Amino acid sequence: MSLNVTAEAAPAQAPSIVETAAPKRPQAWFDGALCDIDALQAGLTTHAMHYGSGVFEGIRSYATADGAAVFRLPEHMARMREGAALLGMHFDPAQATEAVMATLRANDHRDAYIRPLAWFGEGGFGLDVEGHTEHLMVATTATQVHLNGTRARLGISKWRRNPADSLPPLKLCGAYVNSILAKRESKSRGFDEALFTDADGFVVECTGANVFIVKAGRVTAVEHRDALPGITRDTLIRLSGAESRAVTVEELYDADEVFACGTAAEVAPVHGVEDRSYGDNPVTRELAALYARVVRGDAERQRGWLTAV
């Protein structure tokens, strides 16, 4: 449609039309090249889609005074390589590291969640991975916080965590069906998150986060052979001097504070477990503030944990 405006009817100063550039399309790194993330497709015979034959990591980058930096990237790459090796998959940490950096730069992300994924692709049906193509991708998104940064309410799941002698506690794609079932069950009962315990009454972990307790000012990291040896968990043990040991459900109920931690969750205070509610979480708040300073490069001694983008 066109508008015909006579000279007499035109305003003294016609409004200007400012052309704006189209929004930049999100980029992903896929098998050696950057491309539009919504242009990528996986074949219907992709092995990982049918059998969960993939390995991934959840990584974070942060805006610092010196620009974007990725927190503990080498440790994430080492853990991903361990998972890939179990599946018989080739994985090059140096290539994956460069893919992470390239994707962050392409999307101009500073505070971001980073998802590298390696998987077996198309081929015939069956459990053997031989003959299937291998793929690697990296996607980044603006920061998303697991548990929504709130004081979460945990329900003890009726499901058990995958035992380590059946599935090693690594970020293997198929293993997380266990977490999906647990989270669905707990949320159906009105909780925010699920807590795994074992048959002997010991705490394991949440669906995607490790657990700490605080009693009389002392911080304890829950240790369990079936739990993921989290990188954030390791960070907080080093920062706080926390003891790492097995913790019973009774100790959890008796604690003054409980918090969960992980790359996405960071340091997340727990409001309650089942019917047990906790207080104001002062120690958790202090650790959360310290962790925030570390990941943003404001703690001189821990700057070695940051990889500049």
Side-chain angles (χ1 to χ4, degrees):
M1 180 187 301
S2 61
L3 295 177
N4 295 318
V5 181
T6 64
E8 292 77 14
Q13 183 174 359
S16 61
I17 299 174
V18 178
E19 293 186 2
T20 59
K24 191 174 182 179
R25 297 170 72 89
Q27 299 288 293
W29 190 98
F30 174 66
D31 287 352
L34 288 163
C35 50
D36 291 347
I37 194 168
D38 56 5
L40 301 173
Q41 294 182 342
L44 295 182
T45 61
T46 294
H47 197 271
M49 183 164 61
H50 292 273
Y51 302 111
S53 54
V55 59
F56 70 96
E57 279 293 318
I59 311 172
R60 288 281 284 272
S61 69
Y62 292 90
T64 77
D66 299 319
V70 184
F71 188 63
R72 300 196 69 173
L73 181 58
E75 290 88 344
H76 283 286
M77 294 290 98
R79 187 170 65 187
M80 191 167 176
R81 178 172 59 182
E82 185 179 353
L86 283 175
L87 292 172
M89 181 185 298
H90 172 74
F91 180 78
D92 181 356
Q95 180 192 43
T97 294
E98 182 49 44
V100 166
M101 297 302 180
T103 310
L104 286 169
R105 293 174 190 136
N107 290 322
D108 196 26
H109 280 151
R110 293 165 65 83
D111 287 316
Y113 183 80
I114 305 160
R115 170 51 52 84
L117 170 69
W119 74 99
F120 285 107
E122 294 186 13
F125 296 116
L127 295 176
D128 292 330
V129 296
E130 288 77 11
H132 290 265
T133 57
E134 297 183 18
H135 299 288
L136 175 66
M137 63 150 278
V138 175
T140 65
T141 62
T143 299
Q144 296 178 351
V145 179
H146 181 54
L147 303 179
N148 299 316
T150 61
R151 298 179 69 226
R153 297 174 61 246
L154 309 184
I156 295 179
S157 178
K158 69 177 184 180
W159 299 99
R160 302 296 186 202
R161 179 48 111 191
N162 302 313
D165 54 4
S166 293
L167 273 174
L170 294 165
K171 299 187 85 68
L172 303 174
C173 294
Y176 278 77
V177 172
N178 183 219
S179 291
I180 293 170
L181 294 176
K183 191 157 192 173
R184 280 179 54 83
E185 184 267 332
S186 288
K187 291 189 78 171
S188 74
R189 295 194 292 121
F191 294 99
D192 304 305
E193 171 64 299
L195 177 70
F196 287 108
T197 61
D198 69 14
D200 297 318
F202 287 93
V203 179
V204 183
E205 64 178 341
C206 294
T207 61
N210 293 118
V211 178
F212 283 67
I213 66 170
V214 182
K215 180 67 175 178
R218 294 178 62 86
V219 182
T220 300
V222 171
E223 183 177 312
H224 198 286
R225 67 191 296 266
D226 299 339
L228 182 78
I231 292 167
T232 306
R233 176 185 183 275
D234 175 73
T235 300
L236 292 173
I237 290 173
R238 296 196 197 189
L239 293 176
S240 68
E243 176 187 12
S244 178
R245 62 171 175 83
V247 172
T248 66
V249 174
E250 287 74 16
E251 286 182 276
L252 187 81
Y253 285 143
D254 188 52
D256 299 325
E257 302 178 39
V258 174
F259 64 89
C261 73
T263 295
E266 296 182 317
V267 182
V270 169
H271 173 75
V273 178
E274 293 290 338
D275 295 331
R276 167 70 164 99
S277 295
Y278 300 99
D280 192 38
N281 303 79
V283 175
T284 302
R285 287 202 313 273
E286 184 179 347
L287 278 174
L290 174 58
Y291 184 80
R293 292 196 298 273
V294 168
V295 298
R296 295 195 178 276
D298 295 331
E300 184 68 33
R301 291 179 60 187
Q302 287 81 29
R303 285 190 180 177
W305 279 338
L306 295 169
T307 302
V309 177

